[in-house]
C-alpha cells in the first residue's frame, strides 16, 4: 500500500472510532449484506469484546437462539400491561389535535418487543461469530419497560458491494435524525455511551455494533460525556419461541429461500458475497423446476430467453422503486406478467421455503404444567415456552407444532395470545401490497366440487374457444399455402418478375447469366379438416376421455378429441381442467356421427389412427392437414389413401412451444351459468 493509501485507510479507521479502544461497525438491520460485513469486520478486527445494541435481559434467550441456528427463532418480552394502549392513547391525542387525521383506530392488544434470531441479521451474525471465536459479549442497550421503535427509510444495503462501509455510513450522516430531547432514543444513546466508557476500562479492543442512524449520536454522547439515565428496576422477562415456517417471510430480513442459501453456503464453506443478488437467480431456477414438476408441459416454454426478459423486467421495476435488489412483490409481479399466474404462484411459494424450519417428523407432544414447551428439540436448544393454559392451540391437538405465527406488526403466540410486535432490529418499513393471483384449490375443495358435478351439462370456456379457433385458422392457412407450393413452377425471366426470383434455379444456371422467376398458381381445393396430434404415440390410459363437441355458433368448428379425464382436476365449483392429446377441427361446422363409436372405423388400432381415419372420412376436401410431432407413419398414409384423401404434414415444432402449451390446456364448465364466474378460478399460464 502506498503512503497516501495508508493515510486514507487510517483516516477511515478514525472516522469509525470512538476512541483508540472502541471501533464502531454501523449496520443496517435485516440485511444479508450487512451480516456479511459485520462478520468479516469482526474477524479482521480480532477484538477482545463485542458490544451489541441490545439490553442484558435478552442475552440468555438470544444466545440460545444463536446456538440453535439455522433454525430460526425469536426472543420476545411482553411489555407491561397497558403499554400498547398508552401508545394508541397518545396517537388519539394527536388525532384530536389534528395530527394523523384519517388513520384507523387500532385494537387494544398486548405489546411485545422482540429480537429475531435471523442468520441475516448483522447483530446475530456478529454474535454467532463471537461465540464461535470465544469473544466476550457485552449487551449495552438500556432496559426499558416499553420499547419505542423508530422506522426510517434506508438505502439498499447492496450498495456495500461498491461502496466501503465508512463511505456508506458517512453518506447517511445528513439523513440521521437527532434523538428528540427527553425521548427513549436519547436515553438509550446516552446509556450505550456510558456502558462503552465502562467497558473501556476492562478491554483494550472493543467492537461496537450499532444502527447506522444511531452511531453518530452515540459518538457525540461519548465524546461530550453526557450523563447516563436511570435504568428500569425490573426488566421484562424474555422468552425464546419457535417460529412457524409458513410465516418466516414476516420475520426474516431476506427472503426465506435466500436465507436458506446463506446457511447452505455456510455449511459447504462456499463464498456468499453476492448471494443477495445471485440468490434471486437461484430462486428463479428453483421456481421453474417446481413449475415444470407441477404442470409437466410438453414444451418448456419458460426458456432462458424468457427468463432473460423476466430479469430485465425485474431490474426496471426495481429501479423504479429506487432500490438495487428486488423484493418479493416485484418478483411476483414480473413472473405474472412474463409467465402467467401459475408460474408466479410457484415463485411465491418457493420464495417462502426455508427447509431448516420444517417441523421434526416425530414432534413430542406438548407437556403442559412443567414450564417446558414442545419447542425443545435437541440438547443445544433451550426454547422456553409458557405452560399450556388450556386455551392455546397446543392444548387442542396432541403433538401439534407449537410456534409463533408472525404477521406484519402482529403475532399469535402458542398460548393463544395475539399481540402487537415491536422489532428491536427492524430494517426498512414493510407494508401490505395487493396483487391478483388465482390460488390453487385445496384437496378437500376439489373433492367437494367433484361430488357436485352434473354429468348432463357441460360446455367450453369461450375465451379458450376463441384462442384455439384462432390457432386452428392460422394452421389451416399455412396448410393451404403448402398446397399451392406443390403447383409452383419456374421459368426464365422475360418481362415479368411474377411471384418472385427463384434463387435456387438462378444460382444453378449462374454461368449462363439468365434469371429465373417463380410462378405459384392459385391453390386448387381447400382444407376443411385440421388434425392435431400433440403427443405421439398417445397413451390410451392417459387420454381416456374421448368425445365430440359441436359448435354453438357458425364461427366455431366441430371438434373431435381425446383428452385427459377432467373429473380428477377440479379448479373451481363446476370448473374442471383437461389437456388435449389429439383433436381434429372441422370448419365450416356441421353435425357428424360420433367418431369414437362409428363402426366404419373399427379397423383402426390406435387413438391417432382413429382420429385421422375420422377426419379423412368426413372431410369433403381432398386434402387434410396433419400437425404432428413426427412425420406421418406409413399406416396413417395408407388409411388416407384408402379413404381417397391426402395428408398435408406440418411439424408441431414449427409452432411456439408456449402457444402449444396454452392451446392444449382447456377447461370444462358444468353448464353455461358457470361462465358468469369462471374467470375468478381459471388461471392463465
Amino acid at each position: 500500500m502506498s503512503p497516501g493509501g495508508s493515510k486514507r485507510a487510517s483516516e477511515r479507521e478514525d472516522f469509525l472510532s470512538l476512541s483508540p479502544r472502541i471501533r464502531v461497525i454501523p449496520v443496517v438491520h435485516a440485511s444479508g449484506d450487512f451480516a456479511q460485513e459485520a462478520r468479516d469486520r469482526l474477524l479482521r478486527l480480532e477484538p477482545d469484546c463485542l458490544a451489541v445494541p441490545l439490553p442484558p435481559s435478552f442475552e440468555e434467550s438470544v444466545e440460545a437462539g444463536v446456538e440453535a441456528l439455522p433454525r430460526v427463532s425469536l426472543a420476545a418480552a411482553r411489555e407491561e400491561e397497558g403499554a400498547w394502549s398508552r401508545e394508541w392513547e397518545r396517537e388519539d391525542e394527536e388525532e384530536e389535535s389534528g395530527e394523523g387525521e384519517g388513520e384507523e383506530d387500532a385494537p387494544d392488544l398486548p405489546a411485545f418487543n422482540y429480537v429475531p434470531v435471523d442468520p441475516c441479521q448483522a447483530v446475530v451474525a456478529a454474535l454467532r461469530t463471537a461465540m464461535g471465536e470465544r469473544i466476550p459479549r457485552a449487551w449495552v442497550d438500556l432496559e426499558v419497560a416499553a420499547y419505542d421503535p423508530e422506522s426510517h427509510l434506508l438505502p439498499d444495503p447492496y450498495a456495500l458491494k461498491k461502496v466501503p462501509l465508512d463511505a456508506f455510513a458517512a453518506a447517511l450522516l445528513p439523513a440521521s435524525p437527532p434523538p428528540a430531547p427527553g425521548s427513549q432514543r436519547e436515553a438509550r444513546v446516552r446509556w450505550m455511551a456510558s456502558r462503552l466508557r465502562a467497558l473501556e476500562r476492562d478491554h483494550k479492543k472493543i467492537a461496537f455494533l450499532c444502527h447506522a442512524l444511531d452511531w453518530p449520536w452515540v459518538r457525540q454522547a461519548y465524546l461530550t460525556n453526557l450523563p447516563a439515565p436511570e435504568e428500569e428496576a425490573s426488566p421484562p422477562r424474555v422468552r425464546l419461541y419457535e417460529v412457524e415456517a409458513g410465516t418466516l417471510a414476516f420475520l426474516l430480513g431476506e427472503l426465506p429461500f435466500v436465507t436458506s442459501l446463506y446457511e447452505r453456503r455456510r455449511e459447504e464453506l462456499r463464498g456468499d458475497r453476492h448471494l443477495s443478488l445471485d440468490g434471486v437467480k437461484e430462486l428463479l431456477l428453483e421456481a421453474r423446476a417446481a413449475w415444470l414438476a407441477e404442470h409437466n408441459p410438453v414444451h418448456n416454454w419458460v426458456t432462458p430467453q424468457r427468463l432473460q426478459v423476466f430479469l430485465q423486467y425485474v431490474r426496471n421495476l426495481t429501479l423504479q422503486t429506487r432500490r438495487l435488489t428486488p423484493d418479493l412483490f416485484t418478483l411476483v409481479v414480473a413472473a405474472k406478467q412474463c409467465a402467467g399466474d401459475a408460474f408466479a404462484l410457484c415463485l411465491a411459494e418457493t420464495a417462502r421455503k426455508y427447509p431448516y424450519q420444517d417441523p421434526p417428523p416425530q414432534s413430542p407432544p406438548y407437556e403442559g404444567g412443567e414450564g417446558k414447551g414442545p419447542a425443545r428439540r435437541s440438547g443445544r436448544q433451550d426454547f422456553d415456552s409458557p405452560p399450556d393454559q388450556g386455551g392455546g392451540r397446543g392444548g387442542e391437538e396432541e403433538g401439534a407444532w407449537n410456534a409463533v405465527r408472525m404477521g406484519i406488526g402482529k403475532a399469535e403466540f402458542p398460548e393463544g395470545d395475539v399481540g402487537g410486535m415491536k422489532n428491536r432490529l427492524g430494517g426498512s418499513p414493510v407494508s401490505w401490497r395487493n396483487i391478483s393471483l388465482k390460488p390453487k384449490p385445496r384437496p378437500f375443495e376439489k373433492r367437494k366440487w367433484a361430488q357436485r358435478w352434473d354429468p348432463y351439462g357441460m360446455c367450453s370456456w369461450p375465451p379458450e374457444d376463441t384462442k384455439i379457433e384462432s390457432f386452428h385458422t392460422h394452421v389451416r392457412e399455412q396448410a393451404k399455402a403448402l398446397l399451392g407450393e406443390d403447383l409452383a413452377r419456374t421459368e426464365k425471366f422475360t418481362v415479368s418478375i411474377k411471384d418472385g426470383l427463384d434463387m435456387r434455379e438462378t444460382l444453378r444456371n449462374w454461368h449462363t447469366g439468365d434469371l429465373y422467376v417463380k410462378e405459384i398458381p392459385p391453390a386448387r381445393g381447400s382444407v376443411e379438416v385440421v388434425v392435431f396430434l400433440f403427443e405421439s404415440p398417445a397413451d390410451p390410459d392417459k387420454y381416456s376421455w374421448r368425445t365430440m363437441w359441436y359448435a354453438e355458433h357458425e364461427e366455431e368448428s366441430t371438434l373431435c378429441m381425446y383428452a385427459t379425464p377432467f373429473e380428477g382436476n377440479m379448479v373451481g365449483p363446476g370448473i374442471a381442467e383437461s389437456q388435449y392429446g389429439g383433436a381434429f377441427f372441422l370448419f365450416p361446422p356441421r353435425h357428424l356421427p360420433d367418431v369414437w363409436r362409428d363402426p366404419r372405423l373399427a379397423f383402426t388400432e390406435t387413438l391417432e389412427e382413429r382420429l385421422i381415419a375420422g377426419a379423412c372420412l368426413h372431410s369433403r376436401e381432398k386434402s387434410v392437414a396433419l400437425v404432428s410431432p413426427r412425420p406421418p407413419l406409413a399406416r396413417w398414409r395408407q388409411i388416407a389413401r384408402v379413404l381417397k384423401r391426402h395428408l398435408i404434414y406440418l411439424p408441431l415444432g414449427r409452432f411456439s412451444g408456449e402457444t402449444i402449451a396454452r392451446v392444449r390446456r382447456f377447461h370444462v364448465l358444468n353448464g353455461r351459468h358457470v361462465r358468469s364466474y369462471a374467470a375468478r378460478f381459471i388461471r392463465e399460464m
Side-chain angles (χ1 to χ4, degrees), residues 61 74-77 237-241 384-387 415:
S61 299
L74 70 86
R237 181 186 176 191
V238 180
R239 294 168 177 166
L240 187 63
Y241 295 92
D384 185 11
S385 293
E415 57 269 31

Side-chain angles (χ1 to χ4, degrees), residues 360-382:
Q362 295 179 350
S363 301
Y366 191 89
E367 297 176 359
E370 296 297 326
K372 299 295 183 184
R376 184 181 293 278
R377 303 301 177 204
S378 69
R380 291 195 311 158
Q381 303 179 32
D382 189 20

Side-chain angles (χ1 to χ4, degrees), residues 474-652:
H474 171 66
V475 173
R476 201 172 59 202
E477 293 300 324
Q478 291 210 353
K480 289 166 68 175
L482 290 176
L483 201 62
E485 281 189 1
D486 292 342
L487 305 175
R489 70 185 173 202
T490 301
E491 62 185 40
K492 190 181 293 183
F493 171 72
T494 54
V495 295
S496 172
I497 199 73
K498 294 195 173 179
D499 290 322
L501 193 65
D502 189 337
M503 291 299 299
R504 179 183 296 178
E505 196 65 22
T506 299
L507 291 175
R508 183 180 299 163
N509 296 280
W510 185 257
H511 60 284
T512 64
D514 295 328
L515 298 178
Y516 287 81
V517 295
K518 185 184 293 184
E519 182 179 10
I520 303 174
R524 295 177 184 176
S526 182
V527 175
E528 191 184 45
V529 181
V530 178
V531 181
F532 292 95
L533 300 179
F534 295 107
E535 189 176 327
S536 182
D539 183 358
D541 294 331
K542 179 180 179 183
Y543 299 107
S544 57
W545 184 37
R546 300 144 199 172
T547 188
M548 301 282 297
W549 273 11
Y550 298 99
E552 293 185 46
H553 51 80
E554 294 181 353
E555 298 301 321
E556 280 189 356
S557 306
T558 299
L559 171 63
C560 173
M561 65 176 174
Y562 57 86
T564 56
F566 60 86
E567 296 90 347
N569 194 9
M570 307 296 295
V571 298
I575 307 168
E577 184 179 305
S578 183
Q579 191 177 42
Y580 291 115
F584 77 69
F585 292 81
L586 184 145
F587 187 85
R590 65 174 182 273
H591 186 274
L592 300 178
D594 191 344
V595 170
W596 304 106
R597 294 178 177 79
D598 194 337
R600 293 174 293 177
L601 304 176
F603 63 91
T604 58
E605 297 176 354
T606 64
L607 294 175
E608 297 98 316
E609 289 179 9
R610 187 99 179 182
L611 201 66
I612 292 171
C616 293
L617 178 65
H618 296 292
S619 173
R620 292 174 178 171
E621 298 291 340
K622 185 174 178 57
S623 299
V624 173
L626 172 65
V627 181
S628 169
R630 60 179 179 177
L633 303 179
R635 170 77 174 166
W636 301 352
R637 292 188 184 279
Q638 183 184 9
I639 291 173
R641 275 199 303 273
V642 168
L643 297 173
K644 299 181 181 179
R645 295 291 181 268
H646 170 65
L647 295 178
I648 303 174
Y649 169 62
L650 292 93
L652 187 64

Side-chain angles (χ1 to χ4, degrees), residues 32-49:
D33 295 312
F34 267 97
Q36 292 173 8
E37 186 71 21
R39 178 195 63 198
D40 296 344
R41 290 229 165 206
L42 198 65
L43 291 174
R44 286 201 302 270
L45 286 173
E46 296 181 354
D48 59 359
C49 179

Side-chain angles (χ1 to χ4, degrees), residues 12-303:
R12 287 200 296 267
E13 290 176 358
D14 291 339
F15 175 70
L16 294 177
S17 297
L18 299 189
S19 74
R21 294 189 174 191
I22 303 176
R23 187 71 50 80
V24 182
I25 305 176
V27 297
V28 172
H29 297 312
S31 160
D33 295 312
F34 267 97
Q36 292 173 8
E37 186 71 21
R39 178 195 63 198
D40 296 344
R41 290 229 165 206
L42 198 65
L43 291 174
R44 286 201 302 270
L45 286 173
E46 296 181 354
D48 59 359
C49 179
L50 169 68
V52 294
L54 292 173
S57 58
F58 279 85
E59 178 178 359
E60 184 179 354
S61 299
V62 172
E63 291 195 348
V66 171
E67 287 184 354
L69 286 174
R71 291 192 68 82
V72 174
S73 54
L74 70 86
R78 180 167 181 157
E79 298 179 350
E80 62 178 7
E81 297 292 342
W84 189 255
S85 305
R86 286 204 303 272
E87 290 190 1
W88 294 108
E89 288 171 3
R90 187 166 60 246
E91 291 188 3
D92 291 342
E93 292 173 0
E94 292 176 357
E95 287 180 4
E96 290 175 1
S97 62
E99 299 178 7
E101 189 174 353
E103 297 181 0
E104 297 180 358
D105 293 338
D108 188 10
L109 299 175
F112 295 81
N113 67 81
Y114 71 99
V115 173
V117 187
D118 170 8
C120 289
Q121 281 282 359
V123 172
V124 173
L127 284 171
R128 198 177 189 181
T129 304
M131 292 165 68
E133 299 294 323
R134 300 184 183 279
I135 300 172
R137 284 84 60 193
W139 303 68
V140 299
D141 203 350
L142 178 65
E143 297 282 4
V144 292
Y147 179 72
D148 290 338
E150 292 189 12
S151 182
H152 303 277
L153 282 175
L154 296 167
D156 195 317
Y158 190 74
L160 277 182
K161 305 305 178 195
K162 299 291 183 184
V163 179
L165 179 62
D166 52 349
F168 191 98
L172 282 180
L173 287 179
S176 176
S183 66
Q184 187 186 89
R185 185 182 173 213
E186 184 191 36
R188 290 178 51 234
V189 163
R190 289 190 180 192
W191 180 264
M192 286 191 276
S194 67
R195 287 286 297 131
L196 289 174
R197 280 195 295 271
L199 286 174
E200 205 174 18
R201 291 193 287 271
D202 301 328
H203 300 279
K204 296 180 179 178
K205 200 171 187 180
I206 302 170
F208 172 46
L209 218 69
C210 185
H211 194 278
L213 296 184
D214 283 343
W215 81 271
W217 312 111
V218 176
R219 176 191 176 97
Q220 185 184 54
Y222 175 87
L223 295 178
T224 56
N225 200 14
L226 293 176
E230 293 187 3
E231 195 175 15
E232 295 281 346
S234 57
R237 181 186 176 191
V238 180
R239 294 168 177 166
L240 187 63
Y241 295 92
E242 288 266 9
V243 183
E244 194 170 291
T247 63
L248 280 177
F250 300 111
L251 180 79
L252 300 178
E254 303 284 352
L255 294 176
F257 181 82
V258 176
T259 305
S260 71
L261 291 182
Y262 277 104
E263 288 302 302
R264 192 191 307 166
R265 294 285 179 93
R266 177 186 171 89
E267 291 174 354
E268 298 171 354
L269 301 178
R270 296 168 57 196
D272 56 0
R273 179 162 177 73
H274 295 283
L275 203 52
S276 56
L277 209 55
D278 291 344
V280 174
K281 299 174 186 175
E282 291 201 32
L283 167 63
L284 191 56
L285 295 178
E286 188 76 16
R288 185 177 68 163
W291 176 79
L292 288 174
E294 180 180 350
H295 296 278
N296 191 24
V298 177
H299 300 283
N300 175 19
W301 49 269
V302 183
T303 58

